[in-house]
Amino acid sequence: MDLKECGYSLANRKQMRKKSIHPCQSTDKDVIKETHAENLMTNLSNAYASDLLPSKEGEDLTKCFLLRVVNILLHYIEKTFDVKSKILDFHHPHQLLEGLDGFDLELSDHPESLEQLLVDCTDTLKYGVKTGHPRYFNQLSSGLDVIGLAGEWLTATANTNM
């Protein structure tokens, strides 16, 4: 979904605030797209990195996969800024090595499915230190700058040298 589909423009931002309308609310088109995306999501357990773009028919699968990644990241960001959440869900290393809650540090000799990659992303964020947490203080980390994050996503997407 691009910004035009969200109905977002600088001119109508104030109007949406007054009406309490979120710029990315669903439309009928979005519902159809979401249904198609849900069908693709069920197929991620049988899909691999080689099925994503530039694969001939990888456009929808790529969109689905990236949307799931963005949802994982947004959930993490929301949890990070929640003062009531933990800065670290601490577990001893031996607990992680033993496979806590399906968390697996073993590397497979075979390609992992896209679904497994998403699970690994979620687990990595779950058991890592939330350096963006409002109560986390460190000499090197000063929290999450959302504008900087957007810039990093833009740079990574464009695949240009810094």
Side-chain angles (χ1 to χ4, degrees):
M1 174 184 339
D2 64 17
L3 291 178
K4 289 180 183 176
E5 288 176 303
C6 289
Y8 184 81
S9 72
L10 294 176
N12 67 7
R13 183 171 57 187
K14 287 183 182 178
Q15 185 179 12
M16 286 186 288
R17 282 185 187 158
K18 288 180 185 176
K19 294 180 181 179
S20 298
I21 297 173
H22 191 276
C24 290
Q25 284 182 334
S26 294
T27 64
D28 291 338
K29 280 184 183 179
D30 293 333
V31 172
I32 293 168
K33 286 181 183 179
E34 286 173 12
T35 303
H36 181 64
E38 285 175 15
N39 292 336
L40 284 174
M41 286 181 198
T42 60
N43 296 332
L44 288 180
S45 59
N46 297 322
Y48 298 89
S50 59
D51 298 321
L52 300 174
L53 286 176
S55 174
K56 285 185 180 180
E57 296 178 11
E59 184 177 342
D60 288 340
L61 192 61
T62 300
K63 281 183 183 180
C64 177
F65 176 71
L66 291 176
L67 285 172
R68 296 266 311 265
V69 170
V70 167
N71 285 334
I72 289 168
L73 296 175
L74 289 174
H75 176 75
Y76 174 78
I77 291 168
E78 288 173 7
K79 200 168 185 177
T80 295
F81 284 116
D82 181 6
V83 178
K84 295 176 184 175
S85 70
K86 294 180 180 181
I87 294 172
L88 174 64
D89 186 9
F90 180 79
H91 292 85
H92 291 280
H94 72 274
Q95 291 174 307
L96 295 174
L97 288 172
E98 292 169 359
L100 179 72
D101 295 333
F103 188 66
D104 188 10
L105 296 174
E106 295 295 320
L107 293 177
S108 172
D109 291 335
H110 306 287
E112 296 288 354
S113 70
L114 296 178
E115 187 65 41
Q116 185 59 47
L117 292 175
L118 294 171
V119 168
D120 292 345
C121 289
T122 302
D123 286 345
T124 300
L125 292 173
K126 179 179 179 181
Y127 295 113
V129 177
K130 293 174 184 66
T131 58
H133 194 282
R135 293 190 175 153
Y136 178 83
F137 299 100
N138 184 283
Q139 69 274 17
L140 299 176
S141 303
S142 61
L144 176 64
D145 175 14
V146 176
I147 301 300
L149 175 65
E152 287 187 42
W153 286 354
L154 178 67
T155 302
T157 301
N159 197 21
T160 59
N161 293 323
M162 296 294 283

